[in-house]
């Protein structure tokens, strides 16, 4: 029994090294994923007024999926989501169900991802859901505020006081 544990302890680093070598040739993002995965800020506008919103989005071109968190900054409520991402030309469309507190279906999101003035943008609608019925529509307009730094590259900034988040 003790020999088995010692052998396992010795083999774990070898197995992990093999995993990192095999996966190291793949880019972490396609150009489309790198363009649209990230943080967005903007507004939600509907019958109850206007509210600041933040979206953290991760899209997968290969899997045709999207996931993230939408936060209403006025109410401080956050909604997790996962759904479908369909690449269309230089952008794509997004369709997802939003969940409050992890399990309550609170809203549906449909949006288009595109470029506006060279910056990534998300435009669409959030429709609140109660008892399985869509109730209120909110127009969503968000612009990209942060770009991921590709692995192995330093962040470039015009501000000499800023520090790169990734080496």
């Amino acid at each position: 029994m003790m020999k088995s544990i010692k052998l396992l302890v010795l083999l774990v680093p070898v197995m992990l090294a093999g995993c990192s070598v095999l996966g190291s040739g793949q880019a972490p993002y396609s150009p489309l994923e790198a363009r649209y995965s990230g943080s967005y800020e903007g507004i939600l506008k509907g019958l109850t007024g206007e509210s600041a919103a933040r979206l953290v989005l991760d899209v997968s071109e290969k899997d045709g999926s999207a996931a993230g968190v939408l936060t209403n900054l006025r109410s401080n409520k956050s909604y997790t989501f996962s759904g479908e991402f369909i690449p269309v030309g230089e952008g794509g469309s997004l369709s997802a169900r939003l969940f409050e507190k992890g399990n309550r279906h609170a809203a549906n999101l449909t949006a288009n991802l595109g470029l506006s003035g060279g910056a990534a943008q998300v435009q669409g609608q959030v429709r609140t859901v109660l008892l399985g019925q869509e109730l209120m529509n909110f127009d969503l307009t968000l612009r990209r505020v942060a770009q991921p730094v590709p692995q192995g590259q330093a962040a470039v900034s015009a501000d000499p006081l800023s520090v790169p988040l990734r080496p």
Side-chain angles (χ1 to χ4, degrees):
M1 176 73 172
M2 194 60 137
K3 285 186 178 186
S4 297
I5 292 172
K6 286 181 182 179
L7 182 60
L8 183 59
V9 169
L10 291 173
L11 287 177
V12 168
V14 173
M15 290 187 295
L16 290 176
C19 293
S20 65
V21 170
L22 292 175
S24 66
Q26 298 176 349
Y29 295 110
S30 73
L32 190 67
E33 291 167 343
R35 183 179 308 126
Y36 293 109
S37 293
S39 298
Y40 294 78
E41 290 185 357
I43 58 168
L44 280 166
K45 189 185 303 185
L47 187 62
T48 59
E50 191 173 292
S51 177
R54 178 177 296 127
L55 173 72
V56 177
L57 177 64
D58 183 41
V59 296
S60 172
E61 186 176 15
K62 180 182 174 187
D63 298 338
S65 65
V69 177
L70 176 65
T71 302
N72 180 325
L73 297 174
R74 183 174 70 183
S75 69
N76 257 351
K77 287 188 176 182
S78 292
Y79 306 90
T80 59
F81 68 88
S82 62
E84 182 178 48
F85 171 70
I86 300 171
V88 179
E90 292 292 314
S93 66
L94 172 65
S95 175
R97 295 174 58 157
L98 282 71
F99 293 89
E100 185 176 21
K101 298 181 182 173
N103 62 357
R104 188 180 76 75
H105 181 202
N108 294 321
L109 168 66
T110 55
N112 291 314
L113 284 70
L115 297 175
S116 175
Q121 180 173 290
V122 176
Q123 282 192 302
Q125 286 194 329
V126 175
R127 295 179 189 91
T128 61
V129 173
L130 182 63
L131 300 174
Q133 299 296 314
E134 291 184 347
L135 297 178
M136 295 191 318
N137 292 336
F138 291 87
D139 292 326
L140 177 74
T141 304
L142 306 170
R143 288 184 60 88
R144 179 79 175 266
V145 294
Q147 297 212 15
V149 177
Q151 195 170 12
Q153 293 183 3
V156 177
S157 173
D159 182 359
L161 298 177
S162 66
V163 177
L165 296 176
R166 294 183 187 174

